[in-house]
Amino acid sequence: MTTEYTGKTVAQAVAKGLADLQKTESEVTYQVVNAGKKGFLGIGQQDAVITMEVKAVAEELTQAQEAEIIEEIEAITNAEMEKIVPQEAEAAKKVETAEEKERRIQAREAEIEAAIRDLGYYLADITKLMGIETSINVMPERYMVYYDFDTKTEGLLIGKHGRTINSLQILAQDYLDKRLHRRMRVMLNVANYRERREETLTRLAKKVARDAVAKGEPQALEAMPSFERKAIHSALVNNKYVKTYSKGRDPHRHIVIEPVKKR
């Protein structure tokens, strides 16, 4: 389904569309209907207009199909490796020197630092376009980087049920994935929203689990992003009376809490 979005600039219209659909830029296609005009002294000004559509998602491979593909890849790889002449094989096994390893590590660290810094600027530009004045505190760890926003308009940044900040987090993760080859998770937070949200989800999970057991039938929760679904799964992982599983496709993927049948 194609949806129309407007903004003062094309970039702002695209940001609105991605936030509304809870998708990354790689998961949608959009067409510029009107690039917009600044006008003169406010006269003749026109907003930018785009149409956006979510790309079709390919069906997931079954385990059997995935295993078959892996076997084919391994067979091709082994066949190609047998063709390598001994000299080339020895060159491939060459061990890098300590100096080369140190330079490689330093270059990689510089690449990561640059990507983290540029993502901060990217988030600052987006929030500015949204009319939100904020400062961002960046806290990188080994496999995680936190961006903590400090703003007087917390509610606007969080959005209804966390929809806005979750959409920004999806955009941020997509940005970092494209800059770095290794997996590094991104977490956006404002006014301890993530901690408060996790407490809310834990209480919700336990309440719905009790309802599922009492009614003797599965209970479906509202659609959530993957990191919030993970909080639900974690809250009930040791509950022997229910089981949890995800159902549907993003952005409508949700958790079902189902009572365990007695044998």
Side-chain angles (χ1 to χ4, degrees):
M1 181 179 69
T2 302
T3 308
E4 186 175 280
Y5 297 96
T6 62
K8 292 183 180 180
T9 64
V10 172
Q12 186 175 4
V14 171
K16 286 183 178 179
L18 295 176
D20 181 57
L21 298 174
Q22 292 192 332
K23 292 292 181 181
T24 65
E25 194 166 340
S26 62
E27 295 175 307
V28 303
T29 58
Y30 66 89
Q31 298 291 330
V32 178
V33 178
N34 188 339
K37 294 181 179 179
K38 293 184 177 179
F40 179 71
L41 297 178
I43 301 174
Q45 180 178 350
Q46 293 182 358
D47 285 346
V49 181
I50 68 164
T51 57
M52 184 174 289
E53 184 177 9
V54 179
K55 294 179 181 178
V57 181
E59 292 291 336
E60 294 183 358
L61 294 175
T62 64
Q63 290 185 348
Q65 290 173 322
E66 189 173 334
E68 184 178 345
I69 291 174
I70 291 174
E71 287 181 2
E72 291 180 0
I73 292 174
E74 289 178 346
I76 294 173
T77 302
N78 291 335
E80 291 298 322
M81 286 298 294
E82 290 176 357
K83 297 177 182 179
I84 299 177
V85 296
Q87 294 87 343
E88 292 175 334
E90 287 300 319
K93 294 178 182 178
K94 181 182 178 181
V95 179
E96 63 182 346
T97 65
E99 292 80 5
E100 290 172 337
K101 183 177 181 180
E102 182 64 23
R103 285 196 297 269
R104 177 175 58 81
I105 293 174
Q106 289 178 355
R108 182 56 175 165
E109 289 176 348
E111 180 185 9
I112 293 172
E113 289 176 3
I116 291 174
R117 181 191 63 241
D118 292 346
L119 175 54
Y121 293 145
Y122 177 65
L123 290 170
D125 289 341
I126 292 178
T127 50
K128 185 177 181 180
L129 286 172
M130 295 170 64
I132 301 174
E133 293 185 6
T134 181
S135 60
I136 306 175
N137 183 29
V138 184
M139 296 167 286
E141 295 183 358
R142 186 173 182 183
Y143 298 111
M144 174 79 78
V145 55
Y146 297 88
Y147 292 84
D148 195 5
F149 293 78
D150 184 9
T151 177
K152 294 180 180 179
T153 53
E154 299 164 1
L156 183 59
L157 181 58
I158 293 171
K160 186 177 181 180
H161 300 308
R163 189 174 184 179
T164 302
I165 196 169
N166 287 345
S167 297
L168 284 174
Q169 182 161 308
I170 292 172
L171 282 174
Q173 188 68 66
D174 182 62
Y175 179 96
L176 205 60
D177 288 346
K178 289 178 178 177
R179 286 286 300 269
L180 302 176
H181 297 295
R182 81 171 187 181
R183 181 68 173 176
M184 176 175 276
R185 287 189 58 205
V186 175
M187 182 64 71
L188 307 188
N189 200 2
V190 56
N192 294 322
Y193 169 74
R194 293 300 180 194
E195 292 80 1
R196 291 184 283 115
R197 178 62 173 166
E198 186 170 357
E199 291 176 1
T200 299
L201 291 173
T202 298
R203 290 195 299 270
L204 174 66
K206 293 178 179 179
K207 177 185 179 300
V208 177
R210 290 194 296 268
D211 292 343
V213 173
K215 296 177 181 179
E217 57 185 30
Q219 302 294 307
L221 301 181
E222 64 180 12
M224 299 177 187
S226 60
F227 46 88
E228 291 194 346
R229 294 197 302 271
K230 183 179 179 181
I232 297 291
H233 289 305
S234 297
L236 298 175
V237 67
N238 294 320
N239 190 322
K240 62 183 179 180
Y241 300 104
V242 296
K243 61 181 180 180
T244 62
Y245 55 89
S246 296
K247 189 175 182 181
R249 293 189 177 182
D250 289 326
H252 306 295
R253 193 164 177 80
H254 61 278
I255 285 182
V256 176
I257 301 177
E258 183 175 321
V260 175
K261 294 181 180 179
K262 296 181 181 179
R263 296 183 178 179

